[in-house]
Amino acid sequence: MRFTRRHPLLAAVPLCALAVLAARPADGSHAPGHGSASGISAEVARLYEEAATATEQYEAGRREADRQRARAHKLEERLNLERREMAGLREDLGRIASSQYRDGGGLPLTAHMLLADDPEELMRGQRAVQQAEVSLDKAIDRSERAEARLNRDEARAAAAWKKLERRNTELAVLKDGIEAKLESARWKLQGQADASVAAGSCRGAVRLDQPETRFTVRWVSPVETYELSASYGSGGARWANRHTGQDFAVPIGTPVRAVGAGTVVKVSCGGAFGVEIVIRHAGGYYTQYAHLAAVAVDQGDRVAPGQWIGQSGTSGNSTGPHLHFEVRVTPEMGSAVNPAPWLARHGVSL
């Protein structure tokens, strides 16, 4: 999914309800059949991508509509300024005409010169008046042309804004439709995961089309966009002792990524962790991804950083959709270390 990674928010509500004394999940046996698991997983992944694309297009359209609206408002302000300036010029011209009338503007220029005490001064004044009239005529002409241009620009900007608003309305309807389909598909996927957990056997890997992004870094976060919920070591009635991992609050069906290169050593269903994957990494550490709705890898697979290995869910002992992520020194429960500083040492900040 091509979400822009936003800074995660801390949420205090714990989502992962692990019972340390509960029965361990069954080993990674894969029961054949069980309906169209691959179809639902693929549909969720496809709709997940489509919803992300539709959201990006909608948000881009909204930003462009805001820019067009601001441009139309700016042009309207410029147009009002031009109109005020033109009105001022017309007032100036009116005052000059009134002054000429009061001073005998109706007499011929020759008569003015004969009656004037200083004919040369009169001629200079007459030329100044004529130059002022010519300047005013030019200024008014320029202002009228500018107003016409601004009127056209304003009309175009307003039309573009309205067109974008109509398009954004269409995109909003499309986005809502995709999200409604995605929500329905998510719960179908979760239903299949719950059936697998109840049976204690996994359906097997559903190979998903991997994202085009190829990571140049060696380590990544286990999900791309998330909110942090229950953290490592947090207490409460939901756990027998302390919380053994870091929870990432994400919707059902969110692609879950391998945080680094490694080998899948366990794919299992049933028990407190629901559907889970454990990966062995270089240096003797293991990472666990629990409460999944589907898996996209099998035991023994080699995985690369950022590779989609499954889809998040709320299987097992879970109170809501999220990913439970652990870092361990053995593949088994009870050897967990704090995943946040471990990821930070590998250049991944949560």
Side-chain angles (χ1 to χ4, degrees):
M1 182 177 183
R2 302 281 68 76
F3 278 141
T4 301
R5 186 186 186 279
R6 65 172 181 256
H7 186 74
L9 304 174
L10 289 175
V13 179
L15 292 173
C16 184
L18 299 182
V20 174
L21 300 179
R24 291 295 303 133
D27 200 6
S29 60
H30 306 309
H34 294 287
S36 56
S38 60
I40 293 297
S41 291
E43 181 183 6
V44 169
R46 175 181 60 80
L47 290 170
Y48 191 87
E49 292 281 1
E50 288 183 6
T53 300
T55 299
E56 289 173 359
Q57 290 176 344
Y58 176 76
E59 294 302 327
R62 293 300 307 167
R63 290 192 295 270
E64 182 58 28
D66 288 342
R67 285 192 290 268
Q68 288 288 357
R69 187 185 299 110
R71 183 168 181 266
H73 289 167
K74 188 174 182 180
L75 286 168
E76 177 64 27
E77 290 174 359
R78 286 177 57 191
L79 187 57
N80 289 335
L81 178 61
E82 289 283 345
R83 287 169 178 161
R84 288 194 296 271
E85 289 178 351
M86 189 169 67
L89 290 172
R90 291 187 186 279
E91 288 177 4
D92 290 342
L93 185 58
R95 281 194 294 270
I96 290 173
S98 297
S99 177
Q100 283 182 310
Y101 178 78
R102 288 193 303 270
D103 295 340
L107 293 174
L109 180 59
T110 303
H112 278 291
M113 293 180 67
L114 290 173
L115 295 172
D117 294 332
D118 187 351
E120 290 185 3
E121 181 66 26
L122 175 65
M123 288 299 296
R124 285 194 294 272
Q126 185 68 27
R127 284 194 296 271
V129 170
Q130 290 173 344
Q131 290 172 355
E133 289 178 341
V134 171
S135 296
L136 284 168
D137 287 342
K138 290 181 178 178
I140 290 172
D141 184 56
R142 286 196 303 271
S143 180
E144 289 175 341
R145 290 198 303 271
E147 182 177 13
R149 286 195 305 271
L150 283 168
N151 272 320
R152 290 193 299 270
D153 290 344
E154 183 188 28
R156 282 195 291 265
W161 166 41
K162 290 178 181 178
K163 183 178 179 180
L164 279 166
E165 286 289 294
R166 289 194 298 270
R167 176 58 177 156
N168 286 338
T169 300
E170 294 171 358
L171 284 172
V173 172
L174 176 64
K175 181 171 72 72
D176 290 345
I178 293 172
E179 289 176 349
K181 291 178 183 177
L182 176 57
E183 185 67 10
S184 175
R186 279 170 169 159
W187 286 106
K188 289 180 183 177
L189 182 65
Q190 182 60 47
Q192 293 178 344
D194 292 340
S196 294
V197 172
S201 61
C202 294
R203 296 173 179 271
V206 175
R207 304 296 179 175
L208 300 174
D209 292 336
Q210 294 295 318
E212 295 179 0
T213 303
R214 292 295 177 264
F215 292 95
T216 57
V217 294
R218 296 179 58 191
W219 301 92
V220 299
S221 61
V223 284
E224 185 175 356
T225 303
Y226 55 85
E227 292 183 359
L228 296 177
S229 50
S231 59
Y232 176 83
S234 56
R238 300 183 187 277
W239 305 288
N241 292 301
R242 293 284 179 173
H243 191 223
T244 55
Q246 172 64 61
D247 284 355
F248 295 80
V250 289
I252 294 169
T254 300
V256 174
R257 311 187 295 191
V259 296
T263 302
V264 178
V265 296
K266 181 181 290 186
V267 176
S268 61
C269 299
F273 287 116
V275 181
E276 67 164 326
I277 297 170
V278 178
I279 297 174
R280 182 180 65 243
H281 304 279
Y285 286 95
Y286 298 78
T287 53
Q288 181 216 26
Y289 312 78
H291 304 308
L292 303 177
V295 297
V297 290
D298 283 317
Q299 187 168 318
D301 285 355
R302 290 282 302 167
V303 295
Q307 178 179 331
W308 287 358
I309 59 173
Q311 291 163 285
S312 65
T314 182
S315 60
N317 192 3
S318 169
T319 60
H322 72 290
L323 169 70
H324 173 82
F325 174 76
E326 282 192 21
V327 176
R328 301 170 173 175
V329 295
T330 75
E332 299 304 326
M333 181 181 177
S335 62
V337 298
N338 193 336
W342 185 87
L343 286 171
R345 290 197 299 272
H346 291 85
V348 179
S349 177
L350 299 180

